[in-house]
Amino acid sequence: CLYTTWSFHTGRPYTKLKAEPVRLNGQLKDCESTFHGPINASRLPNYHSLDLRLTRTKSNQKLSLSWYVQVLNLYNHQNVHEYAVTAVYSDDQNLILDCQVEAEPLLPILPLFGAEVLQKRQKNRNSLGVMIEDQSIFSFIFCHSFNSL
């Protein structure tokens, strides 16, 4: 089976940050963040993502094996998780030159590979009265992110 999911929602509220340099003897030593403006008066950018999943299942009378290949954020949209204050360093990384507020992104393109083995058993009702048939006895997920894309 091939599944696709497109998600969209407006950005969640947040309070703006201001980057404050910390100086010692006139030299920039660190960066601090302070809130700037009314609480939750700003909004993060809109979130959207396209996910794709291909699932295959093979079964016999006792076991069911499902494996899948999934790609999250297929078109690599840089969704913003939050904003954070970061230091800007010199080329030799020894001196802080400036402080700035930067967007912290969510997941890049993320491929996943997974498998699950289910043990078939007789249909029964669980404590909530829901019919159940399979019981997971093994699951495996592998993922790798491509940050350079």
Side-chain angles (χ1 to χ4, degrees):
C1 293
L2 181 65
Y3 302 94
T4 58
T5 304
W6 186 70
S7 302
F8 174 87
H9 60 80
T10 60
R12 61 183 171 82
Y14 79 101
T15 304
K16 284 188 177 181
L17 292 177
K18 185 176 181 183
E20 295 285 342
V22 176
R23 298 187 183 279
L24 180 64
N25 297 329
Q27 189 174 3
L28 189 55
K29 291 293 182 185
D30 200 3
C31 297
E32 289 183 348
S33 61
T34 59
F35 291 114
H36 182 69
I39 295 173
N40 289 336
S42 299
R43 295 191 80 82
L44 293 174
N46 293 337
Y47 171 95
H48 54 92
S49 177
L50 178 65
D51 303 336
L52 185 71
R53 180 175 173 142
L54 175 66
T55 302
R56 292 283 193 188
T57 303
K58 297 286 183 187
S59 298
N60 64 26
Q61 291 181 353
K62 293 183 180 183
L63 296 175
S64 175
L65 170 65
S66 292
W67 61 267
Y68 63 88
V69 176
Q70 183 172 9
V71 181
L72 302 177
N73 195 16
L74 188 63
Y75 52 85
N76 197 29
H77 183 257
Q78 294 297 307
N79 290 301
V80 176
H81 173 62
E82 65 183 1
Y83 291 101
V85 170
T86 59
V88 178
Y89 286 91
S90 62
D91 289 338
D92 59 8
Q93 299 294 313
N94 290 333
L95 294 173
I96 298 176
L97 302 175
D98 197 9
C99 300
Q100 64 187 18
V101 177
E102 287 186 338
E104 294 286 328
L106 282 168
L107 297 173
I109 294 175
L110 185 64
L112 299 167
F113 307 95
E116 183 176 45
V117 177
L118 300 173
Q119 179 182 20
K120 293 196 172 191
R121 60 183 187 178
Q122 206 171 18
K123 288 185 179 180
N124 294 311
R125 292 196 184 273
N126 67 11
S127 61
L128 298 174
V130 176
M131 232 13 168
I132 56 172
E133 180 179 353
D134 295 334
Q135 176 182 0
S136 178
I137 57 174
F138 173 79
S139 289
F140 168 79
I141 297 174
F142 173 79
C143 66
H144 177 74
S145 79
F146 296 96
N147 290 327
S148 61
L149 294 178

